[in-house]
Amino acid sequence: MVHRTIRVGGLTRVEGEGALLVRARDGRVNDLQLRIYEPPRFFEALLRGRAFTEPPDITARICGICPVAYQMSACQALESICGVTVDGPLRDLRLLLYYGEWIESHALHIYLLHAPDFLGYPSGIAMARDHRAVVERGLALKKAGNDLVAAVGGRAIHPVNVRLGGFHRLPDLRGLSERLEHALTLALETVDWVSGFDFPDVEHDYRFLALTHPDEYAILSGDLPGFPVDEWPLHITEEQVPHSTALHSRLDGRRGYLTGPLARYNLNFAKLSPRAREAASALGPVCLNPYKSIVVRAIETVHACDESLRILDRYKPPDAPTVPVEPRPGVGHGASEAPRGTLLHRYRIDDDGLIAEADIVPPTAQNQARIEDDLRVLVEPRLGLPVPELTALCERAIRNHDPCISCSAHFLELCLEQ
Amino acid sequence: MDVVLASLEPLIRALREGGHTVVGPTVRDGVIRFAELSSAADLPAGWRDEQEPGRYRLHASSGPAEVFGFAASPDSVKRYTHPPRSSLFRWIEDTAVETPVEAPRLALLGVRACDLAAIAVQDRVFLGGRHPDEAYRARREALFLIAVTCSTPGGTCFCASMGSGPRATTGFDVALTELADGFLAEPGTARGRDLLAALPHRPATEDDREAAERIESTAAARMGRRVDLDGIRERLVEQRESPLWDEIASRCLMCASCTMVCPTCFCVTTEDADDERFERWDSCFTLGFTELGGEPVRSSGGARYRQWLTHKFSTWVDQFGTYGCVGCGRCVTWCPAGIDLTEELRAVTEEAGTRDVTTQGTEASATVSTALERLR
Amino acid sequence: MKKLAVWKFASCDGCQLTLLDCEDELLTVAARIEIAHFAEASSVSSPGPYDLSLVEGSISTPEDRERIRHVRRISKHLVTIGACATAGGIQALRETPALLPVVYARPGYIATLDRATPVSAHVPVDFELRGCPIDKRQLLEVIAAFLAGRRPVIPTHSVCVECKARGNPCVLVAHGTPCLGPVTQAGCGALCPAFNRGCFGCFGPMETPNPAALKITVESPWYTERSESAG
Ligand code: SF4
Ligand code: SF4
Ligand code: SF4
């Protein structure tokens, strides 16, 4: 029986930092914990007692990588309480804003965080030394996404133009189509590029959670598998675990389900835009290999560019930038597809128009248990490997899921006991 | 030769066809402001503004749809003659390469007498000295100016007491006065005359001219505010030590909005971005602007307000031979704290004893502390 | 080559993402300064000391208090980036520990300080860059100034200066919309008023803020009437 404790400095190239604890005995993993030490920021509590109009601006600050997702889930939850639906051109503007965030976030992850794993570099910047043109293409794609967010929302991080009922001001969309045409070309090249990587031969039997919509590759609205959005608290429950400041989620009582690009792709493949489906023909409609999530992200980027172009084409400015929203007491739910997966919000508004309760379930918290399962499968047969090598493998496996640890986590360290 | 134009459409079309970008007042974002016009339909016919210290509102008028029934816009001509930010030069290798001046051919339609007076002040500032500003000159020379007589001065206007309005007498290519059935148009330059001659018109009659004069005198009598210029230069300088400066500062936000909207304020600073140097608007109200050797020279708000007001009504005359104020009232309307320069000027320069400074001070600080309490 | 480190405490990652959002400049910056520690972007970290540390996030746990002291020890220059690091940020709105039971069923697991505090409450800070998030032009200026050995040129005047330069009509004067622009430091380019909303102060107080004067304005009786065409 061997006992060993090894510490390896933080988990990197995820949006944040993290640690992993593995306890093994006689070649078997007894315990595996993805540790999350993000200093808690208490958003749900600090929202209480604030005006019902404030959550979009405040919850955006939960995550600087996907602020739009927070704004959209919050708006929809609150609007549902107030009996307001935002549709037509205003919904189109929301979609544009959201696609901008997808393009930006996916390009960031593909080029600067994930691809270096496949090509053997410690970072996108280091990769640029040998592959400058490739990294520049990634940055140009990312910039196109940021430009789209900034055009509709005012700025790329924490956009200021979003409000309940729509927007503060109708945006100026001139010039965006040309830029997105170019981005679409770059995104198609990205699919080709990442499809040529060497992928470990792994498949997992995932349980997926993602929005589905009758007409769209769902991003802004739809149903969850088997239940409508306003029933999510009945199906998704959170539990606190001692090793983490993030809460772990269960779906219908069972831990370990997956949300994010793989989930969307497998559930909604048929709804991809024509260009995206064409780009996906090599991968096919089913993808259970987490390493290939990089290809799925690239395909979703094509979809986002393609759909944005279609919206820009049909967009006619509405008469007003917003529909009026008056507070009503009640409870409401909102869900939308952040780049990393389904982001769930629930609020209660009291008689004075103030927030009485807020519940937010970010995608990374939902995926945490599933990431642990991926890691268990990875680590057990490789316990004999030298630790640095094992660490690198684990980090890679974690990065497959693009965990936005700021939604939940920070400063993890790898600790292997065997 | 003055004429009467039935509509402004042919005027706008002729200017556009002549290669000008026509810029004039239009309703945008709850204000009447300058923007490119594609036709006379873009003009704010039927809109009236209401201007008070710290307050501006637009209303659809119930009476006849006058096209120019409003007063000064938030933006002045300064935006075009002396833009908020412009590139000076760019480092290419080790040499600074001057940025070519952009001087688009603009026709400004609907500038007021106070705007023209402000351009005259700017001309002295930028072109008068030994180092004329060639960029200003280029932009200035590219302008075609179409003035309009103010029929409805704003609540904060005082051009009549500054002797700069309400009717333009010089400095324009064409001057319009809106009559019941058209626009009396007088040329001010040869090119203005040529333009008018080419437009459909009828000759002006004595009745038209009398109507225009009536509009002018009614407007002059309806100025929302006035200042007393008699001995103002000396009276201001004598009040250097007045305790009122600090009292004003207790109400002032030091946000610099007044100097930004002022059509004559010309202070700038430079800033660098990448390898390019820019000039941009600055203000005597910012701390950084008064910095010398890392320390602000005028660190108190009172000193900065004093500098501004004294410059406008006293030291500007020493420097440039005119007042630095044309009476457009913009700084009064657009001050978020509603500080009224005409009122402060009166208070500061009134003889000592006519306003009880100590009580004033206490009252003001009482309001301030109540406000602060409520803010907590 | 000088060494740059980027650190994260309690925050949303938005400010450090701003560095990666400098798409046109990132590779040039990386050629002029070694990005030696940036966990969000690179899995190698070369050891300190570092010439310039950019710190994001507020300090809200006992471990973080120790960690920021360590960062200070190994950094020649320490610049805080963003409202979290400079002023405590949005999480400073919380009042713990009273809030704790609301989010976490069993508060015993979580160790926090009573408040989310700015970095300067713990260690000396060489420069504070404002904004939630910071502005990327200003971030590039801070790095350029550091490389040139001079103080960054970051205006500290009000948002109104930028607002007027941008040509926005003042939302406070013209629409009666509450706006913190007159008491807030510039840097964003007067973004919110450009979108017809009032500034909510994400760049923190300007050089000589006079909130009392603003309060009086906001309380004046005509304040809430709206212009007919304000939209
Ligand atoms: S200051 Fe704002 S943008 Fe920056 S890390 Fe904090 S919450 Fe995010
Ligand atoms: S809108 Fe706000 S920031 Fe802009 S000038 Fe008015 S008070 Fe200042
Ligand atoms: S206007 Fe104010 S709240 Fe809006 S981005 Fe600028 S500083 Fe932040």
Side-chain angles (χ1 to χ4, degrees):
Chain A
M1 219 162 63
V2 193
H3 287 278
R4 210 155 51 116
T5 304
I6 303 136
R7 286 179 185 280
V8 190
L11 181 68
T12 56
R13 260 187 297 137
V14 292
E15 315 291 358
E17 296 158 54
L20 181 65
L21 172 76
V22 182
R23 282 209 189 87
R25 181 175 288 185
D26 301 329
R28 288 192 60 84
V29 171
N30 288 343
D31 191 12
L32 184 145
Q33 297 172 0
L34 185 57
R35 309 193 118 199
I36 290 184
Y37 293 150
E38 165 73 10
R41 290 168 78 214
F42 302 101
F43 274 90
E44 295 167 341
L46 69 80
L47 283 166
R48 284 197 326 197
R50 301 196 152 259
F52 79 111
T53 48
E54 288 185 78
D57 284 319
I58 292 182
T59 61
R61 267 71 181 179
I62 293 176
C63 177
I65 327 291
C66 52
V68 172
Y70 281 86
Q71 294 184 331
M72 293 301 116
S73 288
C75 281
Q76 300 193 113
L78 292 158
E79 285 157 4
S80 84
I81 305 177
C82 305
V84 168
T85 328
V86 172
D87 45 24
L90 287 177
R91 183 174 190 274
D92 275 354
L93 288 175
R94 285 186 166 176
L95 285 170
L96 272 183
L97 183 69
Y98 217 146
Y99 285 133
E101 180 161 290
W102 272 28
I103 298 168
E104 187 280 330
S105 173
H106 279 355
L108 169 72
H109 190 257
I110 294 169
Y111 282 90
L112 293 182
L113 310 179
H114 206 187
D117 277 340
F118 293 92
L119 301 180
Y121 293 95
S123 71
I125 293 161
M127 191 168 82
R129 270 173 230 135
D130 299 333
H131 302 274
R132 183 154 184 130
V134 166
V135 174
E136 280 177 347
R137 178 178 67 203
L139 290 171
L141 184 57
K142 177 165 147 27
K143 187 167 193 246
N146 272 339
D147 287 350
L148 187 51
V149 178
V152 182
R155 68 178 163 198
I157 302 170
H158 303 331
V160 301
N161 196 16
V162 171
R163 56 172 289 174
L164 294 187
F167 295 87
H168 289 280
R169 178 189 192 125
L170 291 176
D172 179 355
L173 303 177
R174 278 173 300 180
L176 281 176
S177 293
E178 294 73 37
R179 259 178 286 169
L180 280 160
E181 287 288 357
H182 182 57
L184 177 61
T185 315
L186 300 180
L188 288 165
E189 288 170 22
T190 305
V191 176
D192 285 346
W193 179 59
V194 297
S195 301
F197 290 169
D198 263 343
F199 296 100
D201 194 9
V202 197
E203 289 199 340
H204 293 294
D205 184 15
Y206 289 116
R207 267 198 312 154
F208 291 125
L209 179 93
L211 285 173
T212 54
H213 188 281
D215 315 312
E216 293 171 1
Y217 190 82
I219 175 168
L220 200 50
S221 50
D223 285 331
L224 291 160
F227 55 94
V229 166
D230 59 9
E231 284 176 16
W232 75 253
L234 300 176
H235 297 267
I236 292 164
T237 45
E238 290 187 288
E239 56 171 3
Q240 191 180 11
V241 289
H243 64 263
S244 177
T245 56
L247 302 163
H248 275 198
S249 306
R250 288 168 179 262
L251 175 57
D252 292 324
R254 282 168 56 204
R255 71 190 292 283
Y257 63 97
L258 189 76
T259 178
L262 282 188
R264 290 191 290 256
Y265 187 82
N266 285 286
L267 295 178
N268 299 329
F269 178 84
K271 300 286 180 323
L272 280 169
S273 81
R275 304 295 293 268
R277 211 153 350 125
E278 207 180 298
S281 56
L283 186 64
V286 178
C287 173
L288 301 172
N289 180 340
Y291 294 88
K292 290 192 178 167
S293 65
I294 193 170
V295 184
V296 173
R297 276 186 201 91
I299 294 168
E300 286 196 334
T301 310
V302 172
H303 173 83
C305 295
D306 202 11
E307 281 300 305
S308 301
L309 282 165
R310 272 227 286 258
I311 293 171
L312 286 169
D313 211 38
R314 70 172 177 237
Y315 175 74
K316 296 263 177 321
D319 293 335
T322 179
V323 291
V325 183
E326 294 302 328
R328 276 201 223 163
V331 174
H333 304 81
S336 70
E337 286 293 329
R340 284 149 199 81
T342 315
L343 170 59
L344 304 161
H345 284 220
R346 170 188 167 274
Y347 297 93
R348 189 162 69 78
I349 301 181
D350 70 12
D351 295 331
D352 303 318
L354 303 178
I355 301 293
E357 285 165 29
D359 263 315
I360 296 166
V361 184
T364 298
Q366 301 180 64
N367 281 345
Q368 204 174 324
R370 181 56 243 190
I371 300 175
E372 288 179 354
D373 295 346
D374 275 20
L375 288 168
R376 198 183 302 263
V377 177
L378 175 79
V379 167
E380 206 161 70
R382 296 178 178 79
L383 281 168
L385 282 182
V387 167
E389 209 171 302
L390 190 55
T391 309
L393 284 176
C394 289
E395 287 201 352
R396 250 191 104 170
I398 294 170
R399 278 195 290 270
N400 284 337
H401 298 290
D402 187 10
C404 169
I405 290 190
S406 62
C407 329
S408 51
H410 270 268
F411 251 85
L412 314 195
E413 277 167 26
L414 176 69
C415 174
L416 178 61
E417 293 176 7
Q418 62 176 351
Chain B
M1 240 289 287
D2 50 355
V3 300
V4 172
L5 308 174
S7 146
L8 296 179
E9 193 59 55
L11 173 75
I12 294 175
R13 198 176 319 125
L15 285 164
R16 283 167 68 91
E17 281 164 5
H20 283 97
T21 302
V22 182
V23 167
T26 105
V27 175
R28 292 261 166 106
D29 297 322
V31 297
I32 293 173
R33 58 187 300 195
F34 274 60
E36 185 174 349
L37 304 177
S38 49
S39 84
D42 296 340
L43 290 165
W47 288 95
R48 280 175 185 262
D49 57 8
E50 186 189 324
Q51 302 197 30
E52 289 302 326
R55 180 171 196 263
Y56 179 108
R57 290 294 183 277
L58 273 190
H59 302 286
S61 91
S62 40
E66 222 183 320
V67 176
F68 296 106
F70 54 90
S73 59
D75 255 342
S76 74
V77 172
K78 179 165 85 173
R79 180 166 301 280
Y80 304 101
T81 51
H82 176 50
R85 189 168 187 262
S86 51
S87 168
L88 295 177
F89 60 81
R90 177 188 278 281
W91 290 104
I92 296 179
E93 315 275 82
D94 277 339
T95 22
V97 178
E98 259 190 71
T99 314
V101 179
E102 275 180 47
R105 289 182 68 204
L106 292 182
L108 299 183
L109 168 63
V111 296
R112 305 307 175 106
C114 60
D115 293 318
L116 294 174
I119 295 177
V121 172
Q122 283 189 333
D123 283 351
R124 288 176 187 238
V125 170
F126 289 116
L127 303 176
R130 266 173 300 153
H131 304 286
D133 182 332
E134 293 306 328
Y136 174 85
R137 190 196 302 281
R139 286 188 290 258
R140 170 80 174 83
E141 283 173 357
L143 295 184
F144 189 97
L145 296 167
I146 301 148
V148 169
T149 304
C150 282
S151 62
T152 334
T156 58
C157 291
F158 54 101
C159 64
S161 34
M162 296 309 298
S164 59
R167 189 172 182 184
T169 50
T170 173
F172 51 80
D173 291 293
V174 172
L176 305 172
T177 303
E178 185 169 7
L179 307 173
D181 62 341
F183 301 86
L184 177 71
E186 307 156 71
T189 55
R191 57 180 186 169
R193 187 172 321 120
D194 295 345
L195 175 72
L196 289 181
L199 298 175
H201 64 264
R202 66 168 170 82
T205 64
E206 213 36 54
D207 281 355
D208 296 325
R209 292 183 196 111
E210 269 166 30
E213 267 156 39
R214 265 199 311 279
I215 288 169
E216 179 189 353
S217 56
T218 322
R222 280 168 54 193
M223 289 285 136
R225 289 189 150 54
R226 62 177 298 277
V227 293
D228 175 13
L229 292 178
D230 193 25
I232 193 99
R233 292 171 61 190
E234 297 73 25
R235 286 189 287 145
L236 259 177
V237 175
E238 279 161 18
Q239 294 304 323
R240 271 192 63 79
E241 308 296 333
S242 167
L244 275 180
W245 298 119
D246 284 339
E247 186 279 322
I248 300 169
S250 75
R251 288 177 279 127
C252 169
L253 293 158
M254 293 289 141
C255 67
S257 290
C258 48
T259 53
M260 298 288 123
V261 295
C262 176
T264 68
C265 276
F266 56 84
C267 291
V268 289
T269 186
T270 54
E271 70 186 13
D272 293 342
D274 299 333
D275 45 5
E276 199 165 0
R277 171 151 304 174
F278 293 88
E279 176 186 277
R280 70 160 174 85
W281 289 354
D282 200 348
S283 161
C284 52
F285 279 89
T286 70
L287 267 190
F289 188 72
T290 72
E291 232 169 59
L292 265 185
E295 288 297 321
V297 179
R298 291 185 282 270
S299 57
S300 82
R304 278 176 277 155
Y305 194 86
R306 179 182 64 205
Q307 155 64 24
W308 186 59
L309 201 65
T310 312
H311 193 207
K312 289 283 169 201
F313 287 92
S314 181
T315 47
W316 200 296
V317 186
D318 307 336
Q319 257 182 305
F320 303 111
T322 86
Y323 291 111
C325 173
V326 295
C328 71
R330 287 187 175 91
C331 62
V332 183
T333 301
W334 297 99
C335 170
I339 294 180
D340 177 351
L341 147 150
T342 64
E343 191 49 47
E344 304 311 337
L345 197 59
R346 186 166 311 127
V348 170
T349 57
E350 253 165 25
E351 270 176 75
T354 48
R355 182 165 168 183
D356 188 338
V357 168
T358 20
T359 351
Q360 280 278 336
T362 345
E363 267 170 27
S365 48
T367 348
V368 165
S369 56
T370 343
L372 257 182
E373 246 156 53
R374 267 178 271 163
L375 196 65
R376 273 188 201 119
Chain C
M1 201 157 36
K2 295 235 162 85
K3 282 177 152 182
L4 172 78
V6 183
W7 307 94
K8 175 193 154 84
F9 291 83
S11 65
C12 80
D13 287 20
C15 288
Q16 44 173 327
L17 180 65
T18 305
L19 184 55
L20 299 178
D21 273 1
C22 299
E23 289 98 357
D24 294 333
E25 301 86 1
L26 183 64
L27 297 181
T28 323
V29 169
R32 294 175 64 198
I33 188 165
E34 180 193 345
I35 303 181
H37 175 87
F38 189 179
E40 187 178 296
S42 171
S43 48
V44 290
S45 161
S46 52
Y50 305 100
D51 297 290
L52 174 62
S53 274
L54 301 177
V55 178
E56 171 192 275
S58 56
I59 309 301
S60 59
T61 66
E63 297 79 47
D64 280 356
R65 189 172 50 198
E66 287 317 306
R67 194 158 62 90
I68 189 63
R69 290 182 184 148
H70 173 69
V71 168
R72 178 69 264 191
R73 276 194 296 276
I74 57 172
S75 310
K76 284 198 199 129
H77 295 263
L78 189 156
V79 172
T80 57
I81 52 169
C84 292
T86 302
I90 200 141
Q91 55 276 11
L93 295 173
R94 79 196 169 102
E95 292 158 45
T96 47
L99 290 187
L100 211 46
V102 183
V103 197
Y104 301 100
R106 280 167 290 170
Y109 293 145
I110 316 289
T112 67
L113 300 176
D114 275 356
R115 308 185 40 179
T117 47
V119 170
S120 61
H122 303 273
V123 296
V125 167
D126 296 300
F127 190 80
E128 297 183 326
L129 189 59
R130 307 278 197 84
C132 179
I134 53 171
D135 175 76
K136 78 180 180 189
R137 298 270 131 225
Q138 292 200 335
L139 175 63
L140 290 168
E141 163 63 13
V142 163
I143 296 175
F146 167 76
L147 287 170
R150 59 173 175 81
R151 253 194 108 62
V153 182
I154 302 289
T156 54
H157 55 58
S158 72
V159 171
C160 300
V161 172
E162 292 184 325
C163 195
K164 292 294 190 290
R166 188 166 177 156
N168 299 333
C170 174
V171 301
L172 213 160
V173 171
H175 306 164
T177 302
C179 181
L180 289 182
V183 296
T184 301
Q185 180 171 308
C188 65
L191 199 55
C192 294
F195 281 87
N196 273 342
R197 71 182 292 195
C199 165
F200 49 90
C202 81
F203 274 62
M206 53 84 92
E207 53 197 14
T208 54
N210 189 351
L214 187 62
K215 188 74 183 159
I216 293 170
T217 302
V218 172
E219 281 174 357
S220 76
W222 57 40
Y223 179 68
T224 43
E225 300 159 31
R226 295 192 61 90
S227 211
E228 287 174 39
S229 69

